[in-house]
Structure formats: structure tokens, C-alpha cells
Amino acid sequence: MESTEIMDATIFGYTRDGLFMQQALEEAKHAAMCGEIPVGAVVVDQDGNIVSRAHNSVEKDHSQVSHAEMKALSQAGSLRGDWRLNNHWLYVTLEPCTMCRGLINLSRISGLVYGTSSPIHGSQLDNINYPSPKEYGLIVISGILQEQSERLLKNFFKNRRMGHDVKSKK
């Protein structure tokens, strides 16, 4: 099977993409419990193995680069011993920002799957001023478990506005 081929079979009611997005959602829930914006990511190899997983830790790390995507891709490169992640896929609960989009392109992954779009900070993957994902050979799939991703984000920000946010453990 080609690494870019999407399996239509379902496992426990989820497609392959849904199954990996569910894992990214678990990471996002962990971020929320730590007081971080709930975004989670997993990197999957061509055989369907999760290579790395991460969630946002910007507040804990006091670093703008501690986005889930950045951490998951960096960890995958370290574990693989190569920054080139050809034939790997990234699953992330929220559309990547421009910074993360740059790293995605540099990582040479085959596919990006995200849950919900980010109208404020998303890289607007179809923005005509930004190079098309096709220029990098990147397959992009959006809207996988979109409702769950949106609900997690909306609840997080609603709780934060009401003063019920969970503080990160330092």
C-alpha cells in the first residue's frame, strides 16, 4: 500500500484517520487539563504506527514554539534519526499556524489531517498568498472529528472566561 493511500476500513467505528485523530484528541485533552490550549498531535508512519505524540505546552515551557505539531514532528525526527519524515502523516486537532505549517513543509511528511480550522491563527491552507500544499506533495484532509475538536476548544475558552481554567503544574 502506498503511504498516501487512505484506508476506508473502520476500526471500532472509526476510519483510519478517525482512529489517529482520536489519539490526537486525547493529547489535546491532556493539554487542557494542564491549562494549555487544547491542541494535540500524533505522527504516524507508513505502517500505521504512532511514532510520536504531543500536546501544546506553551505556558509550561514559556516558549512560543511549544505547539503540539512542532513537538510531535521534532520528537519523530529524533526517534527516527532523520528530520526527513517522508511517508509519515501528521494528525492534529486544530489547523496548523503558519509557523507549524513551515515545519510541516520542511519535514517532508506525506499528509496532514486536522480536525477543525483556525480562523484566527490557522495558516489558511488554501490561501493564495501561501504556497499550495501540492507544491510540497502534501495531502491535506480537514474536518476529521471536527465537532469533538471544536467542542474541546470552545469548552476550554468558555471555562477560561468564567475563571475556571486549570493552571498548569510547574
Side-chain angles (χ1 to χ4, degrees):
M1 172 170 65
E2 291 286 327
S3 63
T4 55
E5 185 177 333
I6 305 298
M7 292 176 45
D8 289 328
T10 58
I11 304 167
F12 304 116
Y14 290 110
T15 63
R16 173 187 165 105
D17 288 339
L19 189 65
F20 293 128
M21 186 61 72
Q22 184 62 45
Q23 294 298 306
L25 276 165
E26 291 303 317
E27 286 295 320
K29 290 174 187 174
H30 185 75
M33 293 301 298
C34 295
E36 301 281 350
I37 294 176
V39 178
V42 296
V43 175
V44 178
D45 68 15
Q46 64 188 358
D47 297 321
N49 300 308
I50 294 177
V51 176
S52 63
R53 56 182 68 230
H55 58 272
N56 276 1
S57 61
V58 172
E59 301 297 334
K60 176 182 167 255
D61 296 344
H62 308 288
S63 174
Q64 306 86 333
V65 299
S66 291
H67 290 196
E69 306 95 304
M70 302 280 279
K71 292 170 53 181
L73 288 166
S74 179
Q75 182 183 25
S78 292
L79 290 169
R80 292 292 186 209
D82 192 349
W83 59 270
R84 296 169 200 86
L85 296 172
N86 303 72
N87 301 320
H88 286 68
W89 282 67
L90 174 67
Y91 292 81
V92 61
T93 57
L94 183 65
E95 176 188 10
C97 69
T98 302
M99 175 181 67
C100 293
R101 169 72 187 284
L103 182 63
I104 288 165
N105 291 343
L106 290 172
S107 298
R108 301 179 184 173
I109 62 171
S110 298
L112 166 66
V113 180
Y114 66 90
T116 191
S117 58
S118 176
I120 297 173
H121 296 291
S123 67
Q124 309 299 315
L125 293 172
D126 55 357
N127 184 334
I128 60 171
N129 295 321
Y130 200 89
S132 166
K134 292 177 185 172
E135 289 181 36
Y136 294 93
L138 180 67
I139 295 172
V140 178
I141 300 170
S142 63
I144 303 297
L145 299 186
Q146 181 175 348
E147 289 179 23
Q148 294 91 324
S149 296
E150 286 177 356
R151 188 175 333 118
L152 189 58
L153 285 159
K154 286 178 181 178
N155 288 340
F156 175 81
F157 286 112
K158 178 182 174 185
N159 287 334
R160 180 176 269 183
R161 283 190 301 275
M162 294 174 61
H164 302 300
D165 60 332
V166 177
K167 299 295 178 193
S168 87
K169 299 174 184 173
K170 298 181 183 181

